[in-house]
Amino acid sequence: MTNLTDLTIADARKGLAAKSFSVVELTEAHLAAIKAANRALNAYVLETPERALDMAKASDARIAKGEAGALEGIPLGIKDLFCTKDVRTTACSHILDRFTPPYESTVTANLWAAGAVMLGKLNNDEFAMGSSNETSFYGDVVNPWRREGSDAPLVPGGSSGGSSAAVAARLCLGATATDTGGSIRQPAAFTGTVGLKPTYGRCSRWGIVAFASSLDQAGPVTRSVRDSAIMLGAMASHDPKDATSADLPVPDFEAAVGQDVKGLTIGIPKEYRVEGMAPEIEALWQQGIVWLTERGATVKDISLPHTKYALPSYYIVAPAEASSNLARYDGVRYGLREPGKDVLSMYENTRESGFGAEVKRRVLIGTYVLSAGYYDAYYLKAQKVRTLIKRDFDQAFEGVDAILTPTTPAPAFAAGEKSGDPLEMYLNDIFTVTVNMAGLPGISVPAGLSLEGTPLGLQVIGRAFDEETLFRVGHAIEDAAGFMAKPQDWWSKA
């Protein structure tokens, strides 16, 4: 029998339906894989084996009664930004490391209602602030991939590095993640997984620890485009508890997978050919164009002229919203409290001790750009630029059905290589932040290997609430690329 941890969600679903194995067996295989790998990879910050086995037994009972849900018995990892009732949720920050929520996020509640099994909580950059998963209070996540001929640890991308590493290393069949400026798609590209950032409003944000409320969006990390469609179908819903949740029906996303791309027009934005982009990324982009044209799509050059302003505008808007959202962590109501001689010093001591360096940096930037003397000069101007970025996409989509770009400007980099240079780190988001600024859906699909033998991804951007076209185009790329590589199991010997 195939190693159960190598299955896709779609194949596991078939195997469970055929009684080839039980949910308990599938869950136990993943729990054993986590036990063997997590010390080396640090993908999970909390394992929940007892809960997982209880959920697995309940799933087996439902399958036996013919009452299986859409994700019945599928073992998943949950990014530690999603509140899970009676299970510690920390956002990987010291300021929340004692927090156990008495409620469930809407997205995870949807997954449990569909029959999924929770294996544990996955590591992420603190409050989702980072591009390498090196800012977590619980330590760095290590990419399961290695450069050929080297044992140097690589970063898995961020902030959803735990999610991408766990899926790539076969420590879960899929994982929840969040994307504020590329935090699903960039780590997916670095680990050879599929990362989907849905349209803003497609998935409820209720019960997800906030970073930047107008940018954050939940989505899945999986090992195939079909699995991504399956997971999104369960995660998405209208939620009256979230005022930004879209009151729209959830389509049958899986039905779009495998539909041909003949007749579609694919836009190629000239502004994404940036200085310093690795030649192998440019070559893969050109190969992606060839794959789609061979399958009957038409390729068209387009312009997104305000792209060059997206990154600086994002790093004004996101920290501004973060500084407001993180004001609630003051030691009064929940989480860490450091004593002081009065209330003000208690606030100061708690925040000084509880927040890491990157979070403090973004809070300071955000507070600065929102201050009375600089609000118009920075924050208001950034919001105007955001409007222009969205207008660029609106105009482009008058003539194209989807847009093809690289996901990242370079392959996964070594741990510590960029952590001392925030600006260099922020440049990793150069191809992804525009999607969040415009509220659009985007998917990263593994499409090849770098010269160092590490994964590279291609990104497809779609119209708002048109994830079906992303799945069509993404599956065409996946099929043409035939990406079957997986990381070598070095961690069990570490």
Side-chain angles (χ1 to χ4, degrees):
M1 184 170 65
T2 303
N3 188 333
L4 294 180
T5 60
D6 279 329
L7 295 171
T8 63
I9 291 174
D11 288 339
R13 188 175 58 180
K14 290 177 185 175
L16 290 169
K19 306 287 197 298
S20 300
F21 45 85
S22 69
V23 180
V24 169
E25 289 172 324
L26 183 62
T27 301
E28 287 177 336
H30 283 89
L31 292 174
I34 294 168
K35 186 175 181 180
N38 204 51
R39 184 175 177 182
L41 299 180
N42 198 31
Y44 283 85
V45 293
L46 181 69
E47 299 165 41
T48 56
E50 296 85 3
R51 179 173 289 228
L53 289 171
D54 286 345
M55 296 174 85
K57 291 170 186 174
S59 275
D60 277 329
R62 286 192 292 271
I63 290 171
K65 294 177 184 176
E67 299 173 356
L71 279 174
E72 198 65 63
I74 302 300
L76 302 178
I78 304 299
K79 184 176 181 178
D80 202 31
L81 284 184
F82 292 80
C83 287
T84 41
K85 185 177 181 181
D86 300 329
V87 177
R88 191 189 72 185
T89 301
T90 70
C92 294
S93 177
H94 181 42
I95 208 162
L96 274 177
D97 65 0
R98 301 171 197 162
F99 179 58
T100 301
Y103 52 87
E104 191 80 31
S105 79
T106 298
V107 165
T108 52
N110 289 348
L111 293 173
W112 312 147
V117 171
M118 181 172 72
L119 295 169
K121 304 301 288 289
L122 293 163
N123 206 342
N124 51 260
D125 280 305
E126 184 182 6
F127 284 106
M129 298 180 193
S131 300
S132 62
N133 222 141
E134 294 177 285
T135 72
S136 170
F137 177 69
Y138 301 105
D140 303 353
V141 178
V142 177
N143 193 328
W145 289 82
R146 292 276 175 90
R147 292 169 176 156
E148 289 181 359
S150 173
D151 289 333
L154 302 178
V155 304
S159 65
S160 305
S163 299
S164 64
V167 173
R170 278 56 180 169
L171 309 186
C172 56
L173 291 185
T176 65
T178 61
D179 194 310
T180 306
S183 289
I184 293 176
R185 292 158 289 151
Q186 184 249 22
F190 279 6
T191 57
T193 55
V194 176
L196 173 71
K197 182 262 172 196
T199 309
Y200 184 79
R202 176 65 84 183
C203 295
S204 171
R205 292 185 299 106
W206 194 86
I208 302 174
V209 179
F211 166 12
S213 300
S214 74
L215 300 164
D216 298 344
Q217 184 59 200
V221 176
T222 59
R223 288 199 292 274
S224 75
V225 173
R226 182 173 296 278
D227 286 0
S228 184
I230 293 169
M231 271 195 73
L232 181 62
M235 294 170 68
S237 67
H238 173 241
D239 182 6
K241 297 190 295 293
D242 175 6
T244 63
S245 173
D247 190 3
L248 294 172
V250 177
D252 182 356
F253 295 117
E254 191 180 358
V257 178
Q259 292 183 18
D260 66 43
V261 296
K262 187 175 182 180
L264 295 183
T265 302
I266 310 298
I268 308 297
K270 63 181 182 181
E271 289 81 8
Y272 279 59
R273 290 190 168 88
V274 298
E275 184 179 347
M277 185 167 70
E280 56 202 315
I281 301 287
E282 172 67 37
L284 184 69
W285 194 8
Q286 293 304 315
Q287 182 62 65
I289 293 170
V290 170
W291 286 332
L292 292 176
T293 53
E294 286 177 345
R295 281 159 175 73
T298 301
V299 170
K300 176 181 177 181
D301 288 333
I302 62 170
S303 179
L304 300 169
H306 294 92
T307 294
K308 62 184 176 181
Y309 305 118
L311 200 64
S313 298
Y314 171 85
Y315 278 102
I316 291 172
V317 173
E321 296 187 12
S323 72
S324 296
N325 279 325
L326 270 60
R328 71 193 68 175
Y329 304 109
D330 53 15
V332 174
R333 288 157 289 189
Y334 46 79
L336 180 72
R337 176 184 293 184
E338 294 289 352
K341 65 181 186 297
D342 53 28
V343 171
L344 184 59
S345 62
M346 185 270 286
Y347 287 169
E348 292 172 345
N349 294 343
T350 298
R351 291 167 71 81
E352 168 61 30
S353 174
F355 290 147
E358 182 61 30
V359 173
K360 291 174 185 174
R361 179 183 295 118
R362 298 199 194 194
V363 168
L364 287 170
I365 292 170
T367 303
Y368 178 80
V369 301
L370 288 175
S371 62
Y374 299 98
Y375 180 90
D376 289 350
Y378 293 105
Y379 183 72
L380 191 60
K381 188 173 289 185
Q383 292 288 21
K384 290 178 179 178
V385 171
R386 184 177 185 176
T387 300
L388 295 174
I389 291 168
K390 184 178 184 304
R391 189 177 70 182
D392 287 349
F393 278 107
D394 289 343
Q395 292 174 347
F397 280 119
E398 291 175 3
V400 302
D401 298 293
I403 295 169
L404 179 69
T405 78
T407 309
T408 60
F413 50 89
E417 187 176 308
K418 300 180 189 293
S419 55
D421 186 345
L423 293 179
E424 184 70 20
M425 186 73 78
Y426 296 166
L427 286 171
N428 276 280
D429 302 329
I430 195 167
F431 296 145
T432 54
V433 295
T434 53
V435 176
N436 301 79
M437 295 288 273
L440 300 175
I443 191 170
S444 178
V445 179
L449 295 174
S450 71
L451 300 177
E452 301 164 331
T454 56
L456 300 173
L458 288 173
Q459 176 179 226
V460 184
I461 303 168
R463 294 186 181 94
F465 299 104
D466 186 19
E467 286 86 0
E468 295 101 313
T469 298
L470 290 193
F471 291 131
R472 288 174 65 186
V473 178
H475 182 262
I477 293 170
E478 178 181 65
D479 186 59
F483 187 89
M484 300 296 290
K486 66 178 186 177
Q488 298 300 310
D489 179 8
W490 54 264
W491 49 86
S492 62
K493 308 173 188 66

